[in-house]
Amino acid sequence: MTKPFKGISVPLSNNSVVKRRYSVTQDVVSFRRCARQYGAFNVHKYAPAQQTQTYFGTIIHQVLDRCHAHYHGIVDPSNKGLLPDNGLTLSEEEIRDYFNEVKGAQKTGEAVPSPPSDIIRYFIQVENGLNSKGILAIRSDTRVQAVKILQYFNALEGPTLYPRVKDTEHRLQADQTNHVLHGVVDLLVDISDENLDPANCEMWDYKGSSRVGLKPKDLETYEFQMRVYAYLYQRKHGVLPRKAVLYFLNELDGSTCPSKRPVNALVEVSIEPSEIQVAINEFTKTVNQIEQSRCTNKWEAPAPGDISEQDCKSCDLRWYCKTPNGGKGVKPIYP
Ligand code: SF4
């Protein structure tokens, strides 16, 4: 009998290590906020019934992205140098009336009225995209609030901010030996009008929440996030950014547009090299904890008080979680 494979030696293949990619916000920040929620929705991929947080944060980010594109004439060159709506705002009633008119027209099959402003037009475009993915605003007030905040930001910050924006959705990543860490900076803002100079740029990150009432642990995580971005930025550009800025958009909320920036809206995060190192160590520790949780499939909820009640209020797991309501849990609606 012939032995066709006689004399052939096949070397063992090298065990290649597959490095997992970790997003600074969607993985590390989410896990640090609540490992249990992260395990259910990010790892096991259960579909959340409500996506209120996703809705609000995404709509704010994407509409502002369109506002920057509007000012820089990216979509329509005739808009170059112009603020959306020339910086004017509609009242809460006018926004609500428009949404009600659209609802009425959709019910009766009549033609839907045109959006009364650029911001509402961009809002509807982004919202349609989110709705097609099943991400909806649960309350109509949330939509009105989002449009109000977007208008106020556009009117208050647009004139001085938009001309200085050099890049939006600025992507950063670095190979961290065991994993790849990546993130997206909302804005790169140059202090001068000249061409992009990485050493002169500020990194801005929008938060669709208020600064007031934020848990100290959450603020610390956001500061770590900006320092990790600073590190990734340095890996990409060879220099640290000039500044790292967090902008809490819900601080603008109110019945009228603020005439000057509310004191709590903007937080400048210090980016000293020693602080950046602490943040990197802390985030690497978190990535190791995620890996550990993946191995054991144990995803613990934070202790009561370590997460805001607001976050728990919109979480599908609240009915059988002991953390919300100061550790008392939430009473089921049905017997
Ligand atoms: S209810 Fe709160 S603590 Fe419990 S899983 Fe949800 S977000 Fe986490």
Short mmCIF file of all heavy atoms in Angstrom, two decimals, residues 61 64-69 72 153 157-158 160-172 184-190 196 201-206 226 229 233 241 243-245 247 249:
data_model
loop_
_atom_site.label_atom_id
_atom_site.label_comp_id
_atom_site.label_asym_id
_atom_site.label_seq_id
_atom_site.Cartn_x
_atom_site.Cartn_y
_atom_site.Cartn_z
N HIS A 61 -25.29 64.46 19.11
CA HIS A 61 -24.00 64.41 18.41
C HIS A 61 -24.17 64.57 16.89
O HIS A 61 -23.45 65.33 16.26
CB HIS A 61 -23.30 63.07 18.68
CG HIS A 61 -22.57 63.06 19.99
ND1 HIS A 61 -23.18 62.79 21.17
CD2 HIS A 61 -21.27 63.29 20.29
CE1 HIS A 61 -22.30 62.87 22.16
NE2 HIS A 61 -21.13 63.16 21.64
N LEU A 64 -25.36 68.08 15.72
CA LEU A 64 -24.27 69.07 15.82
C LEU A 64 -23.24 68.84 14.72
O LEU A 64 -22.67 69.78 14.18
CB LEU A 64 -23.63 69.04 17.21
CG LEU A 64 -24.50 69.64 18.31
CD1 LEU A 64 -23.81 69.58 19.66
CD2 LEU A 64 -24.86 71.09 18.01
N ASP A 65 -23.04 67.59 14.38
CA ASP A 65 -22.11 67.28 13.28
C ASP A 65 -22.62 67.92 11.97
O ASP A 65 -21.85 68.48 11.20
CB ASP A 65 -22.01 65.75 13.13
CG ASP A 65 -20.69 65.35 12.54
OD1 ASP A 65 -19.69 66.04 12.81
OD2 ASP A 65 -20.66 64.36 11.78
N ARG A 66 -23.93 67.86 11.76
CA ARG A 66 -24.50 68.48 10.56
C ARG A 66 -24.40 70.01 10.64
O ARG A 66 -24.23 70.68 9.62
CB ARG A 66 -25.98 68.07 10.40
CG ARG A 66 -26.11 66.69 9.74
CD ARG A 66 -27.54 66.19 9.89
NE ARG A 66 -27.87 65.10 9.00
CZ ARG A 66 -27.45 63.85 9.15
NH1 ARG A 66 -26.65 63.53 10.16
NH2 ARG A 66 -27.81 62.89 8.30
N CYS A 67 -24.51 70.56 11.85
CA CYS A 67 -24.37 72.02 12.00
C CYS A 67 -22.95 72.45 11.60
O CYS A 67 -22.78 73.48 10.93
CB CYS A 67 -24.64 72.45 13.45
SG CYS A 67 -26.36 72.27 13.92
N HIS A 68 -21.94 71.67 12.02
CA HIS A 68 -20.56 72.01 11.64
C HIS A 68 -20.42 71.91 10.12
O HIS A 68 -19.81 72.77 9.49
CB HIS A 68 -19.56 71.06 12.31
CG HIS A 68 -19.58 71.16 13.81
ND1 HIS A 68 -19.34 72.33 14.47
CD2 HIS A 68 -19.83 70.23 14.77
CE1 HIS A 68 -19.45 72.12 15.77
NE2 HIS A 68 -19.75 70.86 15.98
N ALA A 69 -20.99 70.84 9.55
CA ALA A 69 -20.89 70.64 8.09
C ALA A 69 -21.60 71.79 7.37
O ALA A 69 -21.14 72.27 6.33
CB ALA A 69 -21.51 69.31 7.70
N HIS A 72 -19.40 74.93 7.42
CA HIS A 72 -18.21 74.80 6.56
C HIS A 72 -18.59 74.52 5.10
O HIS A 72 -17.71 74.27 4.28
CB HIS A 72 -17.26 73.73 7.13
CG HIS A 72 -16.61 74.21 8.42
ND1 HIS A 72 -15.48 74.98 8.44
CD2 HIS A 72 -16.99 74.06 9.71
CE1 HIS A 72 -15.17 75.29 9.69
NE2 HIS A 72 -16.07 74.75 10.49
N PHE A 153 -27.38 75.76 21.69
CA PHE A 153 -25.93 75.57 21.48
C PHE A 153 -25.51 76.29 20.20
O PHE A 153 -24.49 77.00 20.16
CB PHE A 153 -25.59 74.08 21.38
CG PHE A 153 -24.11 73.83 21.27
CD1 PHE A 153 -23.32 73.70 22.41
CD2 PHE A 153 -23.49 73.74 20.03
CE1 PHE A 153 -21.96 73.49 22.31
CE2 PHE A 153 -22.12 73.53 19.92
CZ PHE A 153 -21.36 73.40 21.06
N GLU A 157 -22.89 79.09 21.08
CA GLU A 157 -21.49 78.71 20.84
C GLU A 157 -21.11 78.79 19.37
O GLU A 157 -19.93 78.95 19.05
CB GLU A 157 -21.24 77.27 21.35
CG GLU A 157 -21.59 77.02 22.81
CD GLU A 157 -20.61 77.69 23.77
OE1 GLU A 157 -19.62 78.28 23.33
OE2 GLU A 157 -20.88 77.61 24.99
N GLY A 158 -22.11 78.62 18.47
CA GLY A 158 -21.82 78.55 17.04
C GLY A 158 -20.94 79.68 16.52
O GLY A 158 -19.93 79.41 15.86
N THR A 160 -18.65 81.59 17.68
CA THR A 160 -17.20 81.56 17.99
C THR A 160 -16.59 80.18 17.81
O THR A 160 -15.41 80.05 17.51
CB THR A 160 -16.95 82.02 19.45
OG1 THR A 160 -17.81 81.28 20.31
CG2 THR A 160 -17.14 83.51 19.62
N LEU A 161 -17.42 79.12 17.97
CA LEU A 161 -16.87 77.76 17.89
C LEU A 161 -16.74 77.25 16.45
O LEU A 161 -15.67 76.77 16.04
CB LEU A 161 -17.75 76.80 18.72
CG LEU A 161 -17.32 75.34 18.70
CD1 LEU A 161 -15.97 75.16 19.41
CD2 LEU A 161 -18.37 74.43 19.34
N TYR A 162 -17.82 77.33 15.68
CA TYR A 162 -17.81 76.71 14.34
C TYR A 162 -16.62 77.16 13.47
O TYR A 162 -16.01 76.33 12.80
CB TYR A 162 -19.12 76.97 13.59
CG TYR A 162 -20.38 76.39 14.20
CD1 TYR A 162 -21.64 76.75 13.72
CD2 TYR A 162 -20.32 75.47 15.25
CE1 TYR A 162 -22.80 76.23 14.29
CE2 TYR A 162 -21.49 74.95 15.81
CZ TYR A 162 -22.72 75.34 15.32
OH TYR A 162 -23.87 74.83 15.87
N PRO A 163 -16.28 78.47 13.45
CA PRO A 163 -15.16 78.85 12.58
C PRO A 163 -13.85 78.17 12.97
O PRO A 163 -12.94 78.05 12.16
CB PRO A 163 -15.05 80.38 12.78
CG PRO A 163 -16.35 80.80 13.37
CD PRO A 163 -16.88 79.63 14.13
N ARG A 164 -13.74 77.76 14.25
CA ARG A 164 -12.46 77.19 14.72
C ARG A 164 -12.42 75.67 14.59
O ARG A 164 -11.40 75.05 14.90
CB ARG A 164 -12.23 77.59 16.18
CG ARG A 164 -12.13 79.10 16.39
CD ARG A 164 -11.57 79.44 17.76
NE ARG A 164 -12.42 78.98 18.85
CZ ARG A 164 -11.98 78.27 19.89
NH1 ARG A 164 -10.73 77.91 19.98
NH2 ARG A 164 -12.82 77.89 20.84
N VAL A 165 -13.55 75.05 14.20
CA VAL A 165 -13.58 73.58 14.15
C VAL A 165 -12.75 73.11 12.95
O VAL A 165 -13.01 73.48 11.81
CB VAL A 165 -15.03 73.06 14.04
CG1 VAL A 165 -15.05 71.56 13.78
CG2 VAL A 165 -15.79 73.37 15.33
N LYS A 166 -11.75 72.29 13.24
CA LYS A 166 -10.88 71.80 12.15
C LYS A 166 -11.22 70.37 11.75
O LYS A 166 -10.96 69.95 10.64
CB LYS A 166 -9.40 71.85 12.61
CG LYS A 166 -8.86 73.27 12.66
CD LYS A 166 -8.73 73.84 11.25
CE LYS A 166 -8.04 75.18 11.19
NZ LYS A 166 -8.81 76.30 11.68
N ASP A 167 -11.82 69.62 12.67
CA ASP A 167 -12.22 68.25 12.31
C ASP A 167 -13.31 67.80 13.28
O ASP A 167 -13.35 68.24 14.43
CB ASP A 167 -11.01 67.29 12.40
CG ASP A 167 -11.29 65.97 11.67
OD1 ASP A 167 -12.26 65.91 10.90
OD2 ASP A 167 -10.54 64.99 11.89
N THR A 168 -14.20 66.95 12.78
CA THR A 168 -15.21 66.35 13.66
C THR A 168 -15.06 64.84 13.57
O THR A 168 -14.49 64.33 12.61
CB THR A 168 -16.64 66.74 13.21
OG1 THR A 168 -16.83 66.28 11.89
CG2 THR A 168 -16.87 68.23 13.27
N GLU A 169 -15.54 64.14 14.61
CA GLU A 169 -15.45 62.67 14.64
C GLU A 169 -14.01 62.24 14.33
O GLU A 169 -13.77 61.42 13.43
CB GLU A 169 -16.39 62.03 13.62
CG GLU A 169 -17.82 62.53 13.71
CD GLU A 169 -18.67 61.68 14.63
OE1 GLU A 169 -18.75 60.47 14.42
OE2 GLU A 169 -19.24 62.25 15.59
N HIS A 170 -13.08 62.78 15.08
CA HIS A 170 -11.65 62.53 14.84
C HIS A 170 -11.27 61.17 15.45
O HIS A 170 -11.35 61.00 16.66
CB HIS A 170 -10.85 63.67 15.48
CG HIS A 170 -9.40 63.64 15.15
ND1 HIS A 170 -8.91 63.94 13.90
CD2 HIS A 170 -8.32 63.33 15.90
CE1 HIS A 170 -7.61 63.83 13.89
NE2 HIS A 170 -7.21 63.45 15.11
N ARG A 171 -10.88 60.23 14.58
CA ARG A 171 -10.64 58.85 15.05
C ARG A 171 -9.22 58.64 15.54
O ARG A 171 -8.28 59.10 14.91
CB ARG A 171 -10.93 57.86 13.91
CG ARG A 171 -12.40 57.76 13.68
CD ARG A 171 -12.86 57.03 12.48
NE ARG A 171 -14.24 57.40 12.28
CZ ARG A 171 -15.26 56.91 12.99
NH1 ARG A 171 -15.05 56.00 13.92
NH2 ARG A 171 -16.49 57.32 12.77
N LEU A 172 -9.14 57.93 16.69
CA LEU A 172 -7.83 57.67 17.30
C LEU A 172 -7.79 56.21 17.70
O LEU A 172 -8.81 55.64 18.10
CB LEU A 172 -7.67 58.51 18.58
CG LEU A 172 -7.79 60.04 18.45
CD1 LEU A 172 -7.90 60.66 19.83
CD2 LEU A 172 -6.60 60.61 17.70
N VAL A 184 -13.29 58.12 19.47
CA VAL A 184 -13.62 59.16 18.49
C VAL A 184 -13.82 60.47 19.26
O VAL A 184 -14.69 60.56 20.13
CB VAL A 184 -14.93 58.80 17.74
CG1 VAL A 184 -15.27 59.87 16.72
CG2 VAL A 184 -14.81 57.45 17.05
N VAL A 185 -13.00 61.46 18.92
CA VAL A 185 -13.13 62.78 19.56
C VAL A 185 -14.15 63.58 18.76
O VAL A 185 -14.08 63.64 17.54
CB VAL A 185 -11.76 63.51 19.56
CG1 VAL A 185 -11.89 64.90 20.11
CG2 VAL A 185 -10.73 62.71 20.33
N ASP A 186 -15.11 64.19 19.47
CA ASP A 186 -16.18 64.90 18.75
C ASP A 186 -15.64 66.04 17.89
O ASP A 186 -16.04 66.19 16.74
CB ASP A 186 -17.21 65.46 19.74
CG ASP A 186 -18.05 64.34 20.34
OD1 ASP A 186 -18.20 63.31 19.67
OD2 ASP A 186 -18.51 64.49 21.49
N LEU A 187 -14.78 66.87 18.48
CA LEU A 187 -14.29 68.04 17.73
C LEU A 187 -12.81 68.27 17.95
O LEU A 187 -12.32 68.09 19.07
CB LEU A 187 -14.96 69.32 18.26
CG LEU A 187 -16.44 69.54 18.15
CD1 LEU A 187 -16.78 70.92 18.67
CD2 LEU A 187 -16.90 69.39 16.72
N LEU A 188 -12.13 68.71 16.92
CA LEU A 188 -10.79 69.29 17.07
C LEU A 188 -10.95 70.76 16.77
O LEU A 188 -11.42 71.14 15.69
CB LEU A 188 -9.80 68.68 16.08
CG LEU A 188 -9.27 67.29 16.39
CD1 LEU A 188 -8.09 66.99 15.48
CD2 LEU A 188 -8.86 67.12 17.83
N VAL A 189 -10.63 71.58 17.74
CA VAL A 189 -10.84 73.02 17.62
C VAL A 189 -9.47 73.70 17.66
O VAL A 189 -8.72 73.53 18.62
CB VAL A 189 -11.72 73.51 18.80
CG1 VAL A 189 -11.92 75.01 18.73
CG2 VAL A 189 -13.05 72.79 18.80
N ASP A 190 -9.17 74.45 16.60
CA ASP A 190 -7.86 75.12 16.55
C ASP A 190 -8.00 76.51 17.14
O ASP A 190 -9.04 77.15 16.96
CB ASP A 190 -7.40 75.19 15.08
CG ASP A 190 -5.89 75.30 14.99
OD1 ASP A 190 -5.30 75.96 15.87
OD2 ASP A 190 -5.32 74.74 14.05
N LEU A 196 -4.53 73.18 10.06
CA LEU A 196 -4.50 72.36 11.28
C LEU A 196 -3.08 72.20 11.84
O LEU A 196 -2.19 71.75 11.13
CB LEU A 196 -5.09 70.98 10.96
CG LEU A 196 -5.12 70.02 12.13
CD1 LEU A 196 -6.41 70.17 12.90
CD2 LEU A 196 -4.98 68.59 11.66
N CYS A 201 -4.38 72.40 18.86
CA CYS A 201 -5.80 71.98 18.86
C CYS A 201 -6.33 71.64 20.24
O CYS A 201 -5.62 71.09 21.08
CB CYS A 201 -5.96 70.74 17.98
SG CYS A 201 -6.11 71.19 16.27
N GLU A 202 -7.58 71.97 20.42
CA GLU A 202 -8.30 71.54 21.63
C GLU A 202 -9.19 70.36 21.23
O GLU A 202 -9.74 70.35 20.13
CB GLU A 202 -9.21 72.68 22.13
CG GLU A 202 -8.44 73.93 22.48
CD GLU A 202 -9.37 75.12 22.78
OE1 GLU A 202 -10.61 74.94 22.74
OE2 GLU A 202 -8.85 76.20 23.05
N MET A 203 -9.31 69.38 22.13
CA MET A 203 -10.25 68.27 21.88
C MET A 203 -11.52 68.58 22.66
O MET A 203 -11.44 68.85 23.85
CB MET A 203 -9.69 66.94 22.44
CG MET A 203 -8.45 66.41 21.82
SD MET A 203 -8.03 64.79 22.55
CE MET A 203 -8.16 65.07 24.29
N TRP A 204 -12.64 68.53 21.98
CA TRP A 204 -13.93 68.77 22.66
C TRP A 204 -14.77 67.50 22.61
O TRP A 204 -14.84 66.83 21.56
CB TRP A 204 -14.70 69.88 21.96
CG TRP A 204 -14.23 71.27 22.28
CD1 TRP A 204 -12.95 71.73 22.30
CD2 TRP A 204 -15.06 72.40 22.63
NE1 TRP A 204 -12.92 73.06 22.61
CE2 TRP A 204 -14.19 73.50 22.82
CE3 TRP A 204 -16.43 72.59 22.77
CZ2 TRP A 204 -14.67 74.77 23.16
CZ3 TRP A 204 -16.90 73.86 23.11
CH2 TRP A 204 -16.03 74.93 23.31
N ASP A 205 -15.41 67.19 23.71
CA ASP A 205 -16.31 66.04 23.75
C ASP A 205 -17.66 66.47 24.29
O ASP A 205 -17.75 67.05 25.38
CB ASP A 205 -15.70 64.94 24.64
CG ASP A 205 -16.33 63.59 24.34
OD1 ASP A 205 -16.13 63.09 23.23
OD2 ASP A 205 -17.03 63.05 25.22
N TYR A 206 -18.71 66.22 23.50
CA TYR A 206 -20.06 66.59 23.94
C TYR A 206 -20.64 65.51 24.84
O TYR A 206 -20.53 64.32 24.53
CB TYR A 206 -21.00 66.70 22.73
CG TYR A 206 -20.69 67.79 21.75
CD1 TYR A 206 -20.73 67.53 20.38
CD2 TYR A 206 -20.38 69.08 22.16
CE1 TYR A 206 -20.47 68.53 19.45
CE2 TYR A 206 -20.12 70.08 21.23
CZ TYR A 206 -20.16 69.80 19.89
OH TYR A 206 -19.91 70.78 18.98
N MET A 226 -10.99 61.61 28.71
CA MET A 226 -10.31 62.69 27.98
C MET A 226 -8.80 62.52 28.04
O MET A 226 -8.08 62.84 27.09
CB MET A 226 -10.73 64.06 28.52
CG MET A 226 -12.19 64.40 28.33
SD MET A 226 -12.78 64.13 26.64
CE MET A 226 -12.15 65.54 25.77
N TYR A 229 -7.89 59.90 25.62
CA TYR A 229 -7.92 60.49 24.28
C TYR A 229 -6.63 61.28 24.03
O TYR A 229 -6.07 61.25 22.93
CB TYR A 229 -9.12 61.43 24.12
CG TYR A 229 -10.45 60.76 23.83
CD1 TYR A 229 -11.64 61.48 23.90
CD2 TYR A 229 -10.53 59.43 23.47
CE1 TYR A 229 -12.87 60.89 23.63
CE2 TYR A 229 -11.75 58.82 23.20
CZ TYR A 229 -12.92 59.56 23.28
OH TYR A 229 -14.12 58.97 23.01
N TYR A 233 -4.17 60.67 21.09
CA TYR A 233 -3.89 61.82 20.20
C TYR A 233 -2.37 61.98 20.05
O TYR A 233 -1.86 62.18 18.95
CB TYR A 233 -4.52 63.07 20.85
CG TYR A 233 -4.41 64.34 20.05
CD1 TYR A 233 -5.45 64.75 19.22
CD2 TYR A 233 -3.29 65.18 20.15
CE1 TYR A 233 -5.39 65.94 18.51
CE2 TYR A 233 -3.20 66.36 19.44
CZ TYR A 233 -4.26 66.74 18.62
OH TYR A 233 -4.18 67.92 17.92
N PRO A 241 -2.63 67.43 22.74
CA PRO A 241 -3.48 68.57 22.34
C PRO A 241 -3.26 69.73 23.32
O PRO A 241 -2.73 69.54 24.41
CB PRO A 241 -4.89 68.00 22.45
CG PRO A 241 -4.79 66.88 23.42
CD PRO A 241 -3.41 66.33 23.29
N LYS A 243 -5.67 71.47 24.77
CA LYS A 243 -6.66 71.39 25.87
C LYS A 243 -7.56 70.20 25.65
O LYS A 243 -7.72 69.74 24.51
CB LYS A 243 -7.58 72.62 25.84
CG LYS A 243 -7.10 73.80 26.59
CD LYS A 243 -8.21 74.85 26.58
CE LYS A 243 -7.68 76.18 27.10
NZ LYS A 243 -8.68 77.23 26.97
N ALA A 244 -8.20 69.74 26.72
CA ALA A 244 -9.25 68.71 26.61
C ALA A 244 -10.49 69.27 27.31
O ALA A 244 -10.41 69.69 28.47
CB ALA A 244 -8.80 67.42 27.26
N VAL A 245 -11.59 69.30 26.58
CA VAL A 245 -12.78 70.01 27.07
C VAL A 245 -14.01 69.09 27.03
O VAL A 245 -14.26 68.43 26.02
CB VAL A 245 -13.04 71.26 26.17
CG1 VAL A 245 -14.38 71.89 26.48
CG2 VAL A 245 -11.93 72.27 26.32
N TYR A 247 -18.14 69.20 27.26
CA TYR A 247 -19.24 70.17 27.18
C TYR A 247 -20.54 69.44 27.55
O TYR A 247 -20.96 68.54 26.84
CB TYR A 247 -19.33 70.77 25.78
CG TYR A 247 -20.12 72.06 25.77
CD1 TYR A 247 -19.47 73.28 25.66
CD2 TYR A 247 -21.51 72.07 25.92
CE1 TYR A 247 -20.20 74.48 25.67
CE2 TYR A 247 -22.23 73.25 25.95
CZ TYR A 247 -21.57 74.45 25.82
OH TYR A 247 -22.28 75.63 25.85
N LEU A 249 -24.16 69.44 27.50
CA LEU A 249 -25.18 70.20 26.76
C LEU A 249 -26.46 70.45 27.55
O LEU A 249 -27.13 71.46 27.34
CB LEU A 249 -25.49 69.49 25.44
CG LEU A 249 -24.41 69.78 24.40
CD1 LEU A 249 -23.94 68.53 23.74
CD2 LEU A 249 -24.93 70.76 23.37
#
